[in-house]
Amino acid sequence: MTSLLLTGATGAVGARALTLALADPRVERVVALTRRPLADPDPETRVVLDNRVVDFQALPEDADWWQVDAVACALGTTRKLAGSPDAFRRIDHDLPVRVGELARAAGATSYALVSSVGADAGSRNLYLRVKGETERDLRACGFPSFTAVRPSGLYGGTRTRQENLGDRLAGASRVLSPVLPARYRPVHVDLVARALLDAAISAVPGEHVLESETL
Ligand SMILES: NC(=O)c1ccc[n+]([C@@H]2O[C@H](COP(=O)([O-])OP(=O)(O)OC[C@H]3O[C@@H](n4cnc5c(N)ncnc54)[C@H](OP(=O)(O)O)[C@@H]3O)[C@@H](O)[C@H]2O)c1
């Protein structure tokens, strides 16, 4: 039975991953790190939900809830919302990596990240570069199992932030989906959430990349 630490549980992918985790027979406990409280789970659920409302800029190093088996990270923002390239990197890179460092130090053996199609630490594009750097630095944390899930544009689910141009383009490209290369076709948040959760829980040893067309 797996104890899972989840970030981004108020977002489109993370909320779906939380719902799936709370219904998953392989999971015994979910520690959800959020900026604001989650709604109470279905009272019928067998899985314990431990919602910790935290200051992500000052994550407590010695909290006992870091002691989990697996981490699933669906946290992220946009450059526009963050306000600057540096602020974007502090969220999309520094927070997932810090969570990884602290959970690994407490014994977690598996980490699954929602990254992005085209993630590349050498890219000239800020978003793709930051996503690639995040993958790279999480690999360096030494998790026995690490998975980068690399979706193309997402559709479905409920975003907590206002939709941006990227979201609208993802929506529009659904019309073109049949003629797009498979890797760039929009993908439903449910498929991303399922892949994220399965990767974190199954903890297959090694480093894995799940490209969008495989989700
Ligand atoms: N949208 C797309 O088309 C797309 C495509 C490829 C990859 N991705 C990646 O997929 C991931 C999930 O995307 P999504 O669409 O599910 O995002 P979303 O709906 O906007 O949710 C983002 C989550 O991250 C949290 N978050 C944002 N800024 C934070 C901060 N400073 N501190 C702590 N938590 C913070 C949000 O918490 P609050 O509710 O508190 O704001 C929310 O839980 C992101 O990493 C994104 O880059 C998205």
Side-chain angles (χ1 to χ4, degrees), residues 36-48:
R36 54 201 167 83
L38 294 169
D40 288 337
D42 181 342
E44 299 290 305
T45 185
R46 174 194 52 78
V47 178
V48 174

Side-chain angles (χ1 to χ4, degrees), residues 8 13 36 88 107 126 133 142 144 153 171 174 203:
V13 174
R36 54 201 167 83
F88 171 69
L126 171 75
E133 290 171 342
R174 287 178 67 193

Side-chain angles (χ1 to χ4, degrees), residues 1 50 65 76 80-81 93 109 132 173 177 181 186 190:
M1 294 284 268
D50 183 359
W65 41 255
K80 189 176 175 191
L81 263 188
H93 170 274
T109 55
S173 67
S177 199
D190 284 4

Side-chain angles (χ1 to χ4, degrees), residues 4 6 9 14-32 38-50 194 197 201:
L4 176 78
L6 174 66
R16 189 64 190 142
L18 176 62
T19 301
L20 292 170
L22 292 177
D24 194 308
R26 298 168 296 178
V27 177
E28 66 179 359
R29 184 167 65 98
V30 178
V31 179
L38 294 169
D40 288 337
D42 181 342
E44 299 290 305
T45 185
R46 174 194 52 78
V47 178
V48 174
L49 174 60
D50 183 359
R194 167 57 68 199
L197 191 64
I201 296 173

Side-chain angles (χ1 to χ4, degrees), residues 8-14 35-36 56-57 74-77 91-92 95 114-117 127 131 151-154 158-161 167 170:
T10 53
V13 174
R35 296 195 285 188
R36 54 201 167 83
F56 280 82
Q57 303 304 323
L75 181 159
T77 188
I91 296 170
D92 271 57
L95 298 184
V114 184
S115 181
S116 169
V117 65
Y127 181 79
K131 293 295 191 193
S152 180
L154 303 178
T158 308
R159 224 143 263 133
T160 56
R161 58 177 164 78
D167 297 315

